[in-house]
Each structure stands twice: as C-alpha cells, then as structure tokens.
Amino acid sequence: MHAETQNEWEIRMFQKILGYLRDELCIDFPYLERALSALTPEGKENVNAFATEGVYLYYPPAHYLKVFEENELFLRRAYLHTVFHCLYAHPWQRGHREVNLWNLACDIAVEFVIDGLEKPSTRRLLSWLRQQYYEKLREKKVISASGIYELLTEEPPERLTALSREFYTDDHALWGKENGQSPMPDQPKQSEDPQKKWQKIARQVQFQKEKSDRTEDAVAAVMQAEITARRRRRSYSDFLKKFASFHEQMHCDMDTFDLNFYTYGLRTYGNLPLIEPLETREERRISEFVIVVDTSYSTSGELVRSFLQETLHILLEKNAFFTTAKVHLIQCDDMVQEDLVLRSLAQAEAMLSHFEIKGGGNTDFRPAFTYVEELRARGELKNLGGLLYFTDGNGTYPAKKPDYPCAFLFLDSYNEDEVPAWAIRRQLDQTEHI
C-alpha cells in the first residue's frame, strides 16, 4: 500500500476545503453551481495563489491550508474571484493592452461585482481606497474591465501601486495561453477550447440567474445550501442547524449578567446582590423539522437508511432541538404512505432497526407538501424549521413556493431547468456517506 506523503495529504485536505467553499458560496449563489465546479483542482507548490488558464484551478496546498485556518472569508472570495474572471472571459481578452494594467483592471472589475453582491458568504468591510474608487466607477458609469483599463491609464504610478496592492487576489500568469494547451508541462492538452467552454457556462449561468431573479424574494427567504457526500459531517450539521429558530430557554444568561454590579451589592449591602442573572435566554435551535423520503420504485432501501441514520442523529443529538423536539418522517411516492413522528434519538434508532420502504409508485413531490400544509392547518406543526426531501429522481414540483426553507437531495442526475429557483438542490455521491 502506498504511504501518503505530506504533499499528497495537503492536496487531499485542500480539495475537501474547496468542496466546502463551493458549498458555502452556492448557499448564496445557487445559479453559480455549474461555474464553481467547472475548474479541475490541481495542487502545485510553485504557485502562490489561485491560478487558472480556464481548465485547471492551480493552488498552493500547504499555504492555503494555513490561510483557511486564519481567513476563510478571503479564501472563499478568492475562489469566487477566479471563477468570475473565467465567466467574464478576462483571460482571453487582453489583446495588445499593457499586461499589468489589464490584470489590475480585471481584478477591480471582479471585486466591484463581488462587493456589490452583499451576501453573507462574501461580505466584508470595505477599505477607504475601495470606497473611493468604487464611487469613481459609479460616477463614470464604468463597470467593465476594458472601461476600467482606460481609467487606469490616467492614474499616476503611486496610485496604481496602491490599487494593485488593494485588489490583488489571484495569479494571472497563465492567462493568454494557446487555447486547449495546458501551461503546466505535466498536464495534457485539452480537446475543448477553454474560452468556448466558459462562454457556454456563462450562458447557463445567465439563464439560471434570470430564473432566480424572477423569484428573488423567494430565494432570499430560503436558505440556499449545498449538501454533497464529500462534505464533512460538521458542515452537514451546520446546514441542518440553519433551519433553527430563536426561542426562550430556561438557562442563566451570562451574556446579560454584569458581575461587577452583582459583587458590588454583596460587598456594600451584605447578602444583597444588585442584579440577579436572568433565568432565561434566547437560543437558536431547531424546533420542528420534516424529512420526506421518496419511496418510488427505484429507491434503494439501504441508501435511504444510511441517509436517515446520519440526518436523524444530527437533528436529535443533545442541544440540537428544544425539549419539545419533533421530526416528521414522511414516506411518499405519488401519495403519502406513512408519517412517523420522532421526538428522541432513541425513537429514531428503534425505528431504523426495522425500517421498511413503503410505496413503489411514481415520483410526485406535491402530495408531501400538501400534507405538510394540512399538518400546519391542524396545528400539528406550529414552528416548522424546514423540509428536507430525499429523492432518487425528478418529479413534479409544487407550483407555489412554500413559506419555509426546503431542500432536495438527489441520488441521480436531475434536470436543473425543472427544479424551481427557490429550491435548494444537490446531487449526492452514492459511493460515500453524507
């Protein structure tokens, strides 16, 4: 058996981190899923930052492992930054322009877009220099790299130096290489023209973005999250807990308790503290949740059991739920077959020990959503945190967006165009655990 070297371990670990970064970005930008997966990760020690020629995403594994520990936000933005360069065709548009100015113009153009998105996964405080230059771009009504390039030709050298230092994010040394020819000697020549590939991806992104914009208020209300088999259990746990809601719990709230006043009262007046600690505090926990399992004819019982075991363990573990926890486990093909209410991990484990799939018809998502609305109307679900739909294929979606977060986890390939813009979706890898 081959012993893993330090470099191989670093590469393997950072590829997991890339998957995590991609997942976090897709929470806010589901329409970028295809673009964020288009570059093949390749660890290289002779690069200092992300670099690409449109095919591979080169990165320094050892260095970026340290960066991830210290500044995850920077790494997440840098990943998106490099992908945006490809979407805007920056690596192939320089022409006869001066290299350094063109690189800077492209960096400013991309950062201007990212800073304007104002999403949790990319939001950062803007420096005074950025604010000033962004205001200039708005006044001049310039947003493209070519337009910014023209403005930069008028800047004095010291201003260009400051701007370069402020906006540098990734390495552009591989830009402008011959189409299809990898700049790295150990990489094979590509059969597809990278520029044409990204033109196609850009059209797909534009279509998905327009589709998403038509329901922007709905997308804003839904927590967009990616769940893949390669994600760490911690990431999956964080995803589920994003369905939490604030509620008062019987605990001493030490965040609102001022120890100085408390001890001052004891010193001055004897056994008479001036302020007692509050006996309650608000905590963010999951209160109610619905899991729907697609039980159509092609569903694998073993895969369903594995999914349920991992998910229920996370949801029902200590401190995930309130003491009045409730999980509805619904089996549904083209009609609701069963609804089990689970209130503890012990109940979940007992259920899984003799779990059987009930159904075998066609896939239709609508009956489960209708049934959930009936539960809410009857008062059986009063504080629904979200719905997770585990399915092995495409089906008929509800015409109307529900007013609670819901995610679809696909075992097989699915048609993205059929999935509503408000729906969180992800194709799972059947060969790995969630």
Side-chain angles (χ1 to χ4, degrees):
M1 181 179 294
H2 170 68
E4 189 176 43
T5 66
Q6 176 70 15
N7 181 251
E8 289 171 340
W9 178 85
E10 291 169 347
I11 290 175
R12 180 170 59 84
M13 292 303 298
F14 192 73
Q15 286 185 348
K16 290 185 178 182
I17 290 174
L18 277 176
Y20 166 77
L21 297 176
R22 181 169 59 249
D23 293 341
E24 293 297 303
L25 289 168
C26 282
I27 293 174
D28 290 331
F29 314 108
Y31 51 87
L32 290 177
E33 180 181 0
R34 173 72 181 89
L36 290 166
S37 304
L39 295 172
T40 302
E42 189 72 24
K44 293 288 183 183
E45 292 297 337
N46 59 343
V47 295
N48 298 317
F50 282 132
T52 187
E53 82 296 21
V55 178
Y56 292 93
L57 179 66
Y58 299 101
Y59 61 89
H63 173 57
Y64 269 1
L65 284 175
K66 295 179 181 178
V67 172
F68 178 72
E69 293 179 358
E70 299 171 358
N71 194 344
E72 179 186 327
L73 173 61
F74 169 80
L75 209 56
R76 194 161 53 236
R77 286 179 57 108
Y79 185 15
L80 184 63
H81 178 106
T82 302
V83 169
F84 272 0
H85 278 316
C86 295
L87 282 174
Y88 295 143
H90 290 162
W92 308 286
Q93 290 183 347
R94 179 169 63 86
H96 298 291
R97 297 183 179 96
E98 199 277 324
V99 176
N100 292 330
L101 276 188
W102 175 246
N103 288 341
L104 176 56
C106 293
D107 282 337
I108 294 175
V110 166
E111 287 296 293
F112 184 49
V113 170
I114 295 176
D115 285 327
L117 295 172
E118 295 186 346
K119 294 291 186 178
S121 60
T122 57
R123 188 180 295 123
R124 53 161 284 176
L125 294 176
L126 302 185
S127 67
W128 178 242
L129 179 58
R130 285 197 180 217
Q131 295 181 49
Q132 279 187 317
Y133 206 77
Y134 288 167
E135 186 60 33
K136 180 176 182 178
L137 296 182
R138 295 186 188 99
E139 290 177 359
K140 299 289 185 179
K141 297 182 179 180
V142 172
I143 58 173
S144 67
S146 57
I148 295 173
Y149 178 89
E150 296 303 321
L151 291 180
L152 291 176
T153 58
E154 303 171 0
E155 297 285 359
E158 59 275 12
R159 176 76 164 176
L160 292 176
T161 300
L163 290 171
S164 297
R165 187 182 303 112
E166 173 67 29
F167 287 99
Y168 175 81
T169 304
D170 59 347
D171 193 335
H172 303 170
L174 306 183
W175 287 13
K177 300 297 181 181
E178 179 185 353
N179 287 338
Q181 179 61 55
S182 172
M184 295 292 185
D186 56 346
Q187 299 295 353
K189 182 176 181 179
Q190 301 300 310
S191 58
E192 184 180 9
D193 184 341
Q195 184 176 2
K196 291 182 179 179
K197 180 187 77 170
W198 279 98
Q199 287 174 348
K200 185 186 303 181
I201 294 173
R203 289 194 295 269
Q204 294 172 347
V205 168
Q206 181 64 25
F207 173 78
Q208 291 295 331
K209 180 65 167 62
E210 292 173 354
K211 181 180 176 182
S212 178
D213 285 345
R214 289 194 292 268
T215 55
E216 186 176 359
D217 57 332
V219 175
V222 176
M223 292 174 296
Q224 293 293 340
E226 271 200 350
I227 305 174
T228 70
R230 288 173 296 277
R231 290 190 69 171
R232 300 170 299 177
R233 185 179 184 278
R234 177 61 183 169
S235 299
Y236 187 51
S237 174
D238 288 342
F239 159 73
L240 292 177
K241 291 174 183 177
K242 287 180 181 178
F243 288 89
S245 58
F246 280 107
H247 191 78
E248 193 174 71
Q249 290 288 285
M250 293 300 296
H251 285 289
C252 176
D253 189 354
M254 298 307 295
D255 292 333
T256 61
F257 171 53
D258 192 324
L259 186 60
N260 292 326
F261 282 100
Y262 187 86
T263 55
Y264 176 78
L266 293 178
R267 290 195 310 269
T268 306
Y269 305 107
N271 190 22
L272 182 63
L274 292 183
I275 298 178
E276 288 284 359
L278 298 180
E279 295 180 350
T280 62
R281 66 181 178 188
E282 283 194 333
E283 291 186 346
R284 190 170 181 83
R285 294 186 182 179
I286 300 167
S287 54
E288 296 174 337
F289 203 79
V290 172
I291 300 174
V292 185
V293 176
D294 174 11
T295 58
S296 57
Y297 67 94
S298 59
T299 303
S300 166
E302 192 58 39
L303 287 172
V304 170
R305 187 177 291 103
S306 176
F307 160 77
L308 289 176
Q309 185 174 15
E310 179 71 11
T311 303
L312 290 172
H313 183 81
I314 292 173
L315 290 178
L316 295 173
E317 66 184 353
K318 184 180 179 181
N319 296 327
F321 268 107
F322 297 114
T323 55
T324 56
K326 183 191 293 186
V327 176
H328 281 261
L329 175 58
I330 299 172
Q331 294 196 51
C332 181
D333 45 16
D334 53 2
M335 61 183 296
V336 174
Q337 300 289 345
E338 183 181 61
D339 177 16
L340 294 176
V341 179
L342 305 173
R343 298 181 182 275
S344 69
L345 188 57
Q347 285 185 343
E349 291 174 346
M351 179 274 299
L352 289 172
S353 65
H354 53 79
F355 176 78
E356 293 182 1
I357 288 181
K358 299 180 180 180
N362 297 319
T363 302
D364 190 339
F365 304 125
R366 295 171 297 178
F369 285 91
T370 301
Y371 178 71
V372 168
E373 289 305 313
E374 293 173 356
L375 292 176
R376 299 176 78 191
R378 296 199 299 262
E380 296 183 34
L381 284 175
K382 298 180 180 179
N383 191 18
L384 180 57
L387 182 148
L388 196 64
Y389 211 123
F390 185 73
T391 176
D392 66 338
N394 298 334
T396 305
Y397 294 88
K400 184 179 178 181
K401 178 197 78 68
D403 60 357
Y404 49 84
C406 51
F408 289 84
L409 277 69
F410 295 96
L411 277 174
D412 299 316
S413 59
Y414 62 96
N415 188 342
E416 293 185 6
D417 296 338
E418 294 181 359
V419 183
W422 48 261
I424 305 167
R425 65 269 192 193
R426 167 52 50 186
Q427 181 178 340
L428 298 177
D429 188 341
Q430 298 186 33
T431 64
E432 298 179 78
H433 293 292
I434 294 176

mmCIF file of all heavy atoms in Angstrom, residues 233-247:
data_model
loop_
_atom_site.group_PDB
_atom_site.id
_atom_site.type_symbol
_atom_site.label_atom_id
_atom_site.label_comp_id
_atom_site.label_asym_id
_atom_site.label_seq_id
_atom_site.Cartn_x
_atom_site.Cartn_y
_atom_site.Cartn_z
ATOM 1 N N ARG A 233 -19.012 15.925 8.103
ATOM 2 C CA ARG A 233 -20.219 15.829 8.909
ATOM 3 C C ARG A 233 -20.510 17.153 9.603
ATOM 4 O O ARG A 233 -21.661 17.542 9.779
ATOM 5 C CB ARG A 233 -20.074 14.719 9.949
ATOM 6 C CG ARG A 233 -21.357 14.492 10.752
ATOM 7 C CD ARG A 233 -21.170 13.357 11.746
ATOM 8 N NE ARG A 233 -22.411 13.074 12.433
ATOM 9 C CZ ARG A 233 -22.861 13.762 13.473
ATOM 10 N NH1 ARG A 233 -22.154 14.771 13.928
ATOM 11 N NH2 ARG A 233 -23.997 13.438 14.053
ATOM 12 N N ARG A 234 -19.465 17.858 9.993
ATOM 13 C CA ARG A 234 -19.663 19.143 10.656
ATOM 14 C C ARG A 234 -20.381 20.119 9.749
ATOM 15 O O ARG A 234 -21.267 20.861 10.178
ATOM 16 C CB ARG A 234 -18.313 19.716 11.098
ATOM 17 C CG ARG A 234 -18.395 21.102 11.737
ATOM 18 C CD ARG A 234 -19.253 21.078 12.979
ATOM 19 N NE ARG A 234 -19.376 22.416 13.546
ATOM 20 C CZ ARG A 234 -20.213 22.747 14.506
ATOM 21 N NH1 ARG A 234 -21.028 21.844 14.991
ATOM 22 N NH2 ARG A 234 -20.248 23.980 14.971
ATOM 23 N N SER A 235 -20.025 20.136 8.461
ATOM 24 C CA SER A 235 -20.668 21.033 7.513
ATOM 25 C C SER A 235 -22.137 20.668 7.350
ATOM 26 O O SER A 235 -23.000 21.537 7.259
ATOM 27 C CB SER A 235 -19.961 20.956 6.158
ATOM 28 O OG SER A 235 -18.620 21.352 6.280
ATOM 29 N N TYR A 236 -22.422 19.376 7.303
ATOM 30 C CA TYR A 236 -23.800 18.928 7.168
ATOM 31 C C TYR A 236 -24.591 19.313 8.412
ATOM 32 O O TYR A 236 -25.745 19.733 8.339
ATOM 33 C CB TYR A 236 -23.818 17.414 6.941
ATOM 34 C CG TYR A 236 -25.181 16.855 6.612
ATOM 35 C CD1 TYR A 236 -25.961 17.414 5.609
ATOM 36 C CD2 TYR A 236 -25.679 15.768 7.315
ATOM 37 C CE1 TYR A 236 -27.199 16.898 5.303
ATOM 38 C CE2 TYR A 236 -26.922 15.241 7.015
ATOM 39 C CZ TYR A 236 -27.681 15.812 6.012
ATOM 40 O OH TYR A 236 -28.916 15.297 5.705
ATOM 41 N N SER A 237 -23.972 19.179 9.559
ATOM 42 C CA SER A 237 -24.621 19.571 10.804
ATOM 43 C C SER A 237 -24.930 21.064 10.804
ATOM 44 O O SER A 237 -26.017 21.490 11.191
ATOM 45 C CB SER A 237 -23.718 19.221 11.993
ATOM 46 O OG SER A 237 -24.250 19.700 13.199
ATOM 47 N N ASP A 238 -23.984 21.878 10.368
ATOM 48 C CA ASP A 238 -24.202 23.322 10.295
ATOM 49 C C ASP A 238 -25.363 23.650 9.359
ATOM 50 O O ASP A 238 -26.159 24.554 9.627
ATOM 51 C CB ASP A 238 -22.937 24.032 9.810
ATOM 52 C CG ASP A 238 -21.848 24.031 10.862
ATOM 53 O OD1 ASP A 238 -22.167 23.792 12.046
ATOM 54 O OD2 ASP A 238 -20.677 24.241 10.496
ATOM 55 N N PHE A 239 -25.441 22.936 8.254
ATOM 56 C CA PHE A 239 -26.527 23.156 7.300
ATOM 57 C C PHE A 239 -27.883 22.920 7.964
ATOM 58 O O PHE A 239 -28.794 23.738 7.875
ATOM 59 C CB PHE A 239 -26.366 22.234 6.100
ATOM 60 C CG PHE A 239 -27.643 22.023 5.326
ATOM 61 C CD1 PHE A 239 -28.152 23.020 4.530
ATOM 62 C CD2 PHE A 239 -28.325 20.827 5.426
ATOM 63 C CE1 PHE A 239 -29.338 22.835 3.837
ATOM 64 C CE2 PHE A 239 -29.498 20.628 4.739
ATOM 65 C CZ PHE A 239 -30.004 21.638 3.951
ATOM 66 N N LEU A 240 -28.013 21.787 8.654
ATOM 67 C CA LEU A 240 -29.291 21.468 9.287
ATOM 68 C C LEU A 240 -29.658 22.489 10.351
ATOM 69 O O LEU A 240 -30.819 22.865 10.499
ATOM 70 C CB LEU A 240 -29.232 20.068 9.902
ATOM 71 C CG LEU A 240 -29.147 18.911 8.902
ATOM 72 C CD1 LEU A 240 -29.027 17.596 9.645
ATOM 73 C CD2 LEU A 240 -30.352 18.886 7.983
ATOM 74 N N LYS A 241 -28.658 22.967 11.081
ATOM 75 C CA LYS A 241 -28.941 23.901 12.161
ATOM 76 C C LYS A 241 -29.248 25.299 11.660
ATOM 77 O O LYS A 241 -29.664 26.161 12.430
ATOM 78 C CB LYS A 241 -27.777 23.909 13.161
ATOM 79 C CG LYS A 241 -27.711 22.595 13.927
ATOM 80 C CD LYS A 241 -26.487 22.488 14.825
ATOM 81 C CE LYS A 241 -26.458 21.121 15.507
ATOM 82 N NZ LYS A 241 -25.259 20.937 16.335
ATOM 83 N N LYS A 242 -29.080 25.537 10.365
ATOM 84 C CA LYS A 242 -29.513 26.811 9.794
ATOM 85 C C LYS A 242 -31.039 26.885 9.706
ATOM 86 O O LYS A 242 -31.602 27.940 9.450
ATOM 87 C CB LYS A 242 -28.899 27.010 8.415
ATOM 88 C CG LYS A 242 -27.417 27.340 8.474
ATOM 89 C CD LYS A 242 -26.844 27.527 7.093
ATOM 90 C CE LYS A 242 -25.352 27.836 7.177
ATOM 91 N NZ LYS A 242 -24.732 27.985 5.861
ATOM 92 N N PHE A 243 -31.702 25.760 9.930
ATOM 93 C CA PHE A 243 -33.150 25.755 9.961
ATOM 94 C C PHE A 243 -33.675 26.092 11.367
ATOM 95 O O PHE A 243 -34.852 25.947 11.640
ATOM 96 C CB PHE A 243 -33.678 24.375 9.562
ATOM 97 C CG PHE A 243 -33.520 24.078 8.106
ATOM 98 C CD1 PHE A 243 -32.364 23.481 7.620
ATOM 99 C CD2 PHE A 243 -34.523 24.386 7.211
ATOM 100 C CE1 PHE A 243 -32.225 23.198 6.282
ATOM 101 C CE2 PHE A 243 -34.382 24.107 5.868
ATOM 102 C CZ PHE A 243 -33.242 23.517 5.401
ATOM 103 N N ALA A 244 -32.765 26.497 12.244
ATOM 104 C CA ALA A 244 -33.145 26.731 13.641
ATOM 105 C C ALA A 244 -33.994 27.985 13.774
ATOM 106 O O ALA A 244 -34.098 28.799 12.868
ATOM 107 C CB ALA A 244 -31.883 26.871 14.497
ATOM 108 N N SER A 245 -34.598 28.144 14.952
ATOM 109 C CA SER A 245 -35.368 29.352 15.237
ATOM 110 C C SER A 245 -35.083 29.786 16.667
ATOM 111 O O SER A 245 -34.771 28.968 17.531
ATOM 112 C CB SER A 245 -36.867 29.089 15.061
ATOM 113 O OG SER A 245 -37.272 28.048 15.906
ATOM 114 N N PHE A 246 -35.200 31.086 16.923
ATOM 115 C CA PHE A 246 -34.950 31.592 18.266
ATOM 116 C C PHE A 246 -36.119 31.255 19.191
ATOM 117 O O PHE A 246 -37.284 31.337 18.815
ATOM 118 C CB PHE A 246 -34.754 33.108 18.238
ATOM 119 C CG PHE A 246 -33.384 33.515 17.818
ATOM 120 C CD1 PHE A 246 -33.154 34.056 16.572
ATOM 121 C CD2 PHE A 246 -32.307 33.344 18.671
ATOM 122 C CE1 PHE A 246 -31.888 34.425 16.185
ATOM 123 C CE2 PHE A 246 -31.034 33.719 18.289
ATOM 124 C CZ PHE A 246 -30.825 34.255 17.045
ATOM 125 N N HIS A 247 -35.786 30.861 20.419
ATOM 126 C CA HIS A 247 -36.811 30.518 21.389
ATOM 127 C C HIS A 247 -36.217 30.677 22.780
ATOM 128 O O HIS A 247 -35.031 30.502 22.976
ATOM 129 C CB HIS A 247 -37.278 29.075 21.176
ATOM 130 C CG HIS A 247 -38.513 28.727 21.951
ATOM 131 N ND1 HIS A 247 -39.766 29.121 21.556
ATOM 132 C CD2 HIS A 247 -38.673 28.015 23.086
ATOM 133 C CE1 HIS A 247 -40.657 28.655 22.416
ATOM 134 N NE2 HIS A 247 -40.017 27.984 23.359
#
